[in-house]
Amino acid sequence: MNVNTKERTTTPKVVRGGRSSLVGGGLLAALVVFLAAAPWFAFSPGDVTNLVTLFALIILGTTWNLMAGYGGLVSIGQQAFIGAGGYAVIKLADVVGLPIPVAVVAAGVVCAALAIPTSLLLFRLVGGYFAIGTWVVAEVFKLVTQELPGFGGGSGLSLTAFQGVDRVTRIATVYYLALVLAVLVVVATYVLMRSRVGLGLTAIRDDSTAAASLGVAVRRSRRIVYVAASGGAGLAGALIAINGLRVSPDSVYSVQYTAFMIFIVVIGGLGTIEGPILGAVIFFALQQLLDSYGTWYLIALGVVAIVVVLVAPKGLWGLVSRGRYEVFPVIHRVVHR
């Protein structure tokens, strides 16, 4: 008896994303819409002011992860550009007379421009020397700011551009500006990671030596992400300044910002776009819940970080997604159809 069998052939196809990405993206878009409408019916002015801090943390976490998680550049001195952005926005708004939204964006551009000559020096260092070098640069930025005339010395500067603007309008302006910038930074990171440069950065993250042997311009790619991350830190610093209405060297150049960024990225998930967003939300929630406990607040953060590293080395997003789900699909997968 002859049995005819049909051979089923499948064609491999390279894809990005899937149903989970569509669902996750839709939920995230709905959350953004809710955040845009919530100040009118769900949040108090105090809540709105606090959420500006969350948006700034998302920007800081996303850009630091872009630099460290993809470019392999572990910086402990990004507070240099947070401080520069804070001072720049006040000078641009109060002295130059730029509108606040324009001044914030311009402050980010100034910080990105400052990062170019800074990178020429820092990129001569590697590994731990690079990390220490970034911290030294941050201290130099702080000292120079204190010594420059017209920058308030150790007392800092106050923002006067909002004088004559009622409190509700001021809070709403800062809130929506922070929300828009946080969304734009995340989307820009996603677009970058889907580009040719992003593909090279993914290769650098996995193995920089192998990436270089395959023709990836490792040094140029790292310089791009360093400049972009510094511009992002400048945007966050500008938002922090206009939200608090003043800056001072000791606060805005504080190394605690780098500690916050590292915490956010480590617990969220290094080398992912979703991880820093999740990490920023968790850090913000812990900050709001435990800030009144003083030193115990810092101890609690340390305990959380240790537990997450031990239980989920790839971060909480890695634990949840297990490499199967992406809200921001950047990984190429081969499927057979």
Side-chain angles (χ1 to χ4, degrees):
M1 182 176 60
N2 296 326
V3 179
N4 294 325
T5 60
K6 294 182 179 180
E7 295 184 359
R8 298 180 62 186
T9 60
T10 59
T11 303
K13 185 177 181 180
V14 178
V15 299
R16 290 197 230 192
R19 184 177 301 175
S20 63
S21 301
L22 293 175
V23 173
L27 291 175
L28 198 58
L31 177 60
V32 171
V33 172
F34 169 78
L35 288 172
W40 300 103
F41 65 89
F43 296 149
S44 67
D47 295 331
V48 171
T49 301
N50 288 334
L51 282 172
V52 173
T53 302
L54 172 60
F55 300 147
L57 290 173
I58 290 174
I59 293 173
L60 289 174
T62 298
T63 54
W64 193 86
N65 175 68
L66 180 64
M67 181 174 55
Y70 290 103
L73 299 171
V74 179
S75 169
I76 58 174
Q78 288 304 97
Q79 64 270 20
F81 301 103
I82 296 173
Y87 275 93
V89 72
I90 291 179
K91 284 294 185 180
L92 290 169
D94 289 351
V95 179
V96 180
L98 294 180
I100 288 293
V102 178
V104 170
V105 174
V109 174
V110 167
C111 290
L114 287 173
I116 296 174
T118 303
S119 68
L120 297 178
L121 172 64
L122 289 176
F123 277 39
R124 296 176 180 270
L125 308 173
V126 295
Y129 295 103
F130 175 85
I132 294 172
T134 60
W135 177 76
V136 172
V137 166
E139 290 300 305
V140 170
F141 271 47
K142 176 182 176 181
L143 293 173
V144 170
T145 302
Q146 288 177 324
E147 296 301 322
L148 284 174
F151 281 76
S155 300
L157 297 173
S158 295
L159 180 68
T160 61
F162 275 126
Q163 287 183 352
V165 179
D166 66 274
R167 181 170 178 264
V168 174
T169 302
R170 172 178 63 81
I171 292 175
T173 299
V174 176
Y175 175 83
Y176 285 112
L177 180 59
L179 176 61
V180 168
L181 288 177
V183 171
L184 288 178
V185 166
V186 172
V187 171
T189 301
Y190 172 55
V191 172
L192 175 65
M193 293 311 303
R194 285 180 66 96
S195 68
R196 185 180 182 88
V197 173
L199 185 61
L201 287 171
T202 303
I204 292 170
R205 177 194 62 186
D206 296 336
D207 190 326
S208 60
T209 302
S213 68
L214 292 173
V216 176
V218 175
R219 194 176 186 86
R220 185 183 66 184
S221 298
R222 284 177 167 171
R223 196 182 304 277
I224 289 172
V225 295
Y226 179 76
V227 172
S230 300
L235 289 176
L239 291 173
I240 292 169
I242 65 173
N243 196 41
L245 299 179
R246 70 170 285 105
V247 291
S248 65
D250 289 335
S251 63
V252 79
Y253 284 109
S254 175
V255 72
Q256 73 174 357
Y257 284 115
T258 291
F260 293 165
M261 284 184 270
I262 295 173
F263 179 89
I264 287 169
V265 174
V266 167
I267 68 170
L270 186 69
T272 65
I273 298 177
E274 301 87 350
I277 300 173
L278 177 61
V281 172
I282 293 173
F283 174 77
F284 176 75
L286 291 173
Q287 193 178 49
Q288 298 300 309
L289 290 172
L290 304 174
D291 194 29
S292 60
Y293 290 93
T295 306
W296 289 103
Y297 154 66
L298 298 175
I299 294 173
L301 290 181
V303 171
V304 170
I306 292 171
V307 171
V308 170
V309 168
L310 292 176
V311 176
K314 294 184 179 180
L316 293 177
W317 178 253
L319 181 66
V320 171
S321 67
R322 299 186 181 277
R324 301 174 186 173
Y325 312 110
E326 289 181 292
V327 177
F328 299 96
V330 295
I331 299 175
H332 291 81
R333 290 187 175 89
V334 177
V335 297
H336 294 273
R337 295 180 178 178

